Amino acid sequence: MKQIRFSKQRKAIYEALKNSDSHPTAELLYQQLKEEYPELSLGTVYRNLHFFVNENQAVRIDVGDQVEHYDAVVMPHYHLYCQSCNALIDVHEEDYNYDLEKRVAKKTGYDIDSHSTIFYGLCHKCKN
Amino acid sequence: MKQIRFSKQRKAIYEALKNSDSHPTAELLYQQLKEEYPELSLGTVYRNLHFFVNENQAVRIDVGDQVEHYDAVVMPHYHLYCQSCNALIDVHEEDYNYDLEKRVAKKTGYDIDSHSTIFYGLCHKCKN
DNA sequence: TTCGTTGCAAACATTTTGCAGTTTC
DNA sequence: GAAACTGCAAAATGTTTGCAACGAA
């Protein structure tokens, strides 16, 4: 049984992630945290983000822009990816459809754990 | 107005993609085509896949395994990504929900072009 | 004191790109 | 013949990793 330690880097990375609603990448968190922890390394950010995902303290979101986005909100929800400004935005207004998973599992015979749905389009700013 | 030319490489890549139902990556198509076209280059495969996506002759599917998958079936449909064997499989049994897009567009005020939903779980082989 | 965690830098994997030569129309 | 396309190889990008030093419990 592996012991878990809470380094100040780990705490800081988690706080920064939790306080962000922009679904930041490792690089973004790194840039942001470097001001307060100049000795911080990008590898540490990656390692901790993976650690959080493993511990169910974060989820990874892949929208197809070649970078991993992370979210400390682990409750399943949908996202909009703005094709103009590349923002990744929560969609609170539509409930995550667990029923769809059950229905597809039944119809297909696959075991289904979860699903990810991402909307592509334009955010409020960019639609004008 | 840019003229389009149909090189034998372009035709071969498109045929290979169309005849595959495994949602191949550029690398996979490259390996497969190299037998018949030993001089083929990976860059050409990438360039053509991007070309097809631009021309709406293919779509890119991102499942979070760090590689781009492509599909010559451009009609929107869902996919299952098997977390055990990493296969990417079509889900024909559930209709693509255009209504969801409309509903979310209305509720959120975003312009929505499309959405991607990927189910994560286990395929028939791997669930046993 | 132990061993989990870090910083650093090198390695790795995937995708993109510049350029000279080739092919399509 | 013009310009789109290719092959090649180098560059760019994003992520992972080995290792010695550090630090949390």
Side-chain angles (χ1 to χ4, degrees):
Chain A
M1 188 57 187
K2 196 180 178 184
Q3 187 182 166
I4 287 170
R5 291 183 183 164
F6 294 89
S7 66
K8 66 178 186 332
Q9 292 91 332
R10 175 163 296 167
K11 287 177 198 157
I13 294 165
Y14 184 70
E15 280 308 304
L17 180 61
K18 211 179 56 167
N19 293 331
S20 166
D21 61 352
S22 70
H23 310 88
T25 63
E27 179 66 34
L28 199 98
L29 289 168
Y30 172 65
Q31 292 303 336
Q32 192 177 310
L33 288 162
K34 247 198 338 195
E35 292 172 27
E36 196 177 351
Y37 301 88
E39 74 300 337
L40 181 67
S41 122
L42 184 55
T44 296
V45 178
Y46 275 106
R47 278 189 283 229
N48 276 288
L49 290 171
H50 295 164
F51 170 86
F52 299 143
V53 170
N54 257 310
E55 299 284 312
N56 284 306
Q57 294 181 67
V59 290
R60 192 172 120 185
I61 307 159
D62 295 287
V63 296
D65 63 352
Q66 313 287 63
V67 285
E68 305 172 345
H69 295 260
Y70 290 88
D71 193 343
V73 177
V74 294
M75 181 168 204
H77 58 285
Y78 298 137
H79 296 95
L80 173 90
Y81 184 71
C82 178
Q83 289 166 324
S84 169
C85 69
N86 305 321
L88 185 56
I89 302 168
D90 286 323
V91 173
H92 303 292
E93 294 81 359
E94 184 77 27
D95 289 336
Y96 186 80
N97 193 347
Y98 293 101
D99 203 58
L100 176 65
E101 293 181 17
K102 281 188 206 139
R103 200 164 62 227
V104 169
K106 190 171 235 173
K107 283 186 186 172
T108 60
Y110 302 132
D111 272 4
I112 295 177
D113 256 25
S114 63
H115 74 280
S116 149
T117 118
I118 295 154
F119 296 93
Y120 295 89
L122 298 176
C123 72
H124 293 147
K125 264 179 268 162
C126 295
K127 67 186 275 193
N128 303 317
Chain B
M1 186 59 186
K2 198 182 178 185
Q3 187 181 166
I4 287 170
R5 290 180 185 168
F6 293 90
S7 65
K8 66 179 190 326
Q9 292 92 331
R10 175 163 293 168
K11 287 177 199 158
I13 294 165
Y14 184 69
E15 279 308 304
L17 181 60
K18 211 178 59 170
N19 294 329
S20 167
D21 60 351
S22 70
H23 311 88
T25 62
E27 179 66 34
L28 200 98
L29 289 168
Y30 172 64
Q31 292 303 337
Q32 192 176 310
L33 288 163
K34 246 197 339 194
E35 293 172 26
E36 197 178 349
Y37 301 88
E39 73 299 338
L40 181 67
S41 122
L42 184 55
T44 296
V45 177
Y46 275 105
R47 277 188 283 227
N48 275 288
L49 291 170
H50 295 165
F51 169 86
F52 298 142
V53 170
N54 258 309
E55 299 284 311
N56 283 307
Q57 295 182 66
V59 291
R60 192 170 122 187
I61 307 157
D62 294 287
V63 296
D65 63 351
Q66 313 285 62
V67 284
E68 304 172 345
H69 295 262
Y70 289 88
D71 194 343
V73 177
V74 294
M75 181 170 202
H77 58 283
Y78 298 137
H79 296 95
L80 173 90
Y81 184 71
C82 177
Q83 288 166 325
S84 170
C85 69
N86 305 321
L88 185 55
I89 302 168
D90 286 324
V91 173
H92 303 290
E93 294 81 357
E94 185 76 27
D95 289 337
Y96 186 81
N97 193 349
Y98 293 101
D99 203 59
L100 176 64
E101 292 180 17
K102 282 188 208 139
R103 199 164 63 228
V104 170
K106 189 171 236 175
K107 283 185 185 172
T108 61
Y110 301 132
D111 272 4
I112 296 178
D113 256 25
S114 63
H115 74 282
S116 149
T117 117
I118 295 154
F119 296 93
Y120 294 89
L122 298 176
C123 72
H124 293 146
K125 265 179 269 164
C126 295
K127 67 187 274 192
N128 302 317

